Structures are given as C-alpha cells and as structure tokens.
Amino acid sequence: MTAFPIPRPAQSACEGFDDEQTHLFDSLAGILADEPTWKQRRSVFFQIVERLRKAFERNRQDPDSRGDLPFMAVLPLHIGAILEKLGEEEIISVEQAAFYLLSIHPEHQQVADQWIQSDKANLKAMTKFIDTNPFYASLHRSYEQYAADPDDR
C-alpha cells in the first residue's frame, strides 16, 4: 500500500482553545502516539471518542451549555485537533485513513479519500474496516448524515 503525504491544514482546529483544552488534546494525542501502530491505536481512539461523547453529554446537561448542538458537530473538530497534534507525515494504513476521514480538516479528508481510492486493495480494506468495526461504522454514518444535511445544524 502506497503512502500518501498529509498536507498541513490551512487552519488549526485548536484555534481558540484555552489552556485546559490545549492540554487535553495534547494528552490525547500523546496517548495515541504511545501506541506503535494504527492497528493498536484504533481501539484507543474508539475509547477516546467514547469518553469525549460521554463528557459532551454530561456538559449538555449544564443549563448554560448549547444543548441543541449534537455531538457530531464537535467530533470532527476534536478528531482534527488530535490528528494535528500527532503531526503525522503520511497515510499508510486503512485504520489511519478511517480517522482522517472524520477530521474537520478538508486536507485530512481529501488525503484519506485519495489513499482509499488509489488502490482497489485500499478500497476493499476500508469496506472491511467499516464492516468489522460497528462503532466506527456508526460514527462514519452519523458523520455523513450530519455533513449532508445542513438543516440539522
């Protein structure tokens, strides 16, 4: 499988983060970086997403929060911030491409899509990844639905 260079995003997902948020995403990226391969990072990333979702839902209960905002509205920003902080240079695996597809950064989405579409084996691997990872399949489906329907925002 061919490696595809990951372009640097034109705008940081971390713009406007306070010190606490910056520290959180630094530590989440560090947790992922401790895993040597994307096969191992996959389950860790799933755990991170689930914890972010639970924290989001708890915060939504706060009367001062924007309770009308769905989790899918912030998840791509969170994934983009984590991937930015990882600072990877190229996409080389289906697990990696799968998460880059969910990033807020069009640069991440485009390179992941290019990697997937560049080879029938990559496309087949992505299909298998979705089929064998129901948690990811649910995220991917929710992301596509949210991105496709601007009336839901």
Side-chain angles (χ1 to χ4, degrees):
M1 296 186 190
T2 306
F4 276 63
I6 300 169
R8 177 178 221 128
Q11 183 175 354
S12 174
C14 303
E15 274 184 30
F17 280 12
D18 61 26
D19 289 343
E20 186 178 336
Q21 291 168 315
T22 299
H23 177 69
L24 170 65
F25 287 96
D26 284 340
S27 65
L28 294 175
I31 290 167
L32 284 175
D34 287 344
E35 299 299 326
T37 70
W38 268 94
K39 282 187 187 277
Q40 294 158 311
R41 287 180 184 174
R42 176 192 64 213
S43 63
V44 174
F45 218 139
F46 289 162
Q47 292 171 13
I48 288 171
V49 168
E50 185 57 21
R51 288 184 178 178
L52 289 170
R53 185 194 63 75
K54 286 179 180 178
F56 179 84
E57 293 302 325
R58 276 193 309 274
N59 290 339
R60 244 177 126 171
Q61 304 305 319
D62 180 346
D64 295 330
S65 76
R66 285 194 54 190
D68 60 335
L69 190 66
F71 177 62
M72 196 46 64
V74 297
L75 182 63
L77 175 70
H78 292 169
I79 289 176
I82 292 167
L83 293 175
E84 264 183 58
K85 297 206 174 265
L86 274 176
E88 297 178 307
E89 295 182 4
E90 56 189 17
I91 290 187
I92 59 172
S93 73
V94 68
E95 295 86 2
Q96 183 185 23
F99 286 101
Y100 276 78
L101 278 177
L102 299 179
S103 171
I104 195 169
H105 295 302
E107 299 89 348
H108 287 172
Q109 295 169 14
Q110 290 166 358
V111 72
D113 189 53
Q114 289 170 351
W115 184 88
I116 292 164
Q117 300 298 328
S118 71
D119 187 314
K120 286 181 184 180
N122 294 355
L123 184 57
K124 185 177 178 180
M126 185 63 188
T127 301
K128 182 178 178 183
F129 181 83
I130 291 171
D131 290 346
T132 59
N133 290 283
F135 184 79
Y136 180 84
S138 174
L139 289 176
H140 189 261
R141 196 171 35 257
S142 294
Y143 176 80
E144 286 184 332
Q145 289 170 351
Y146 181 77
D149 194 355
D151 293 336
D152 284 349
R153 295 181 192 179

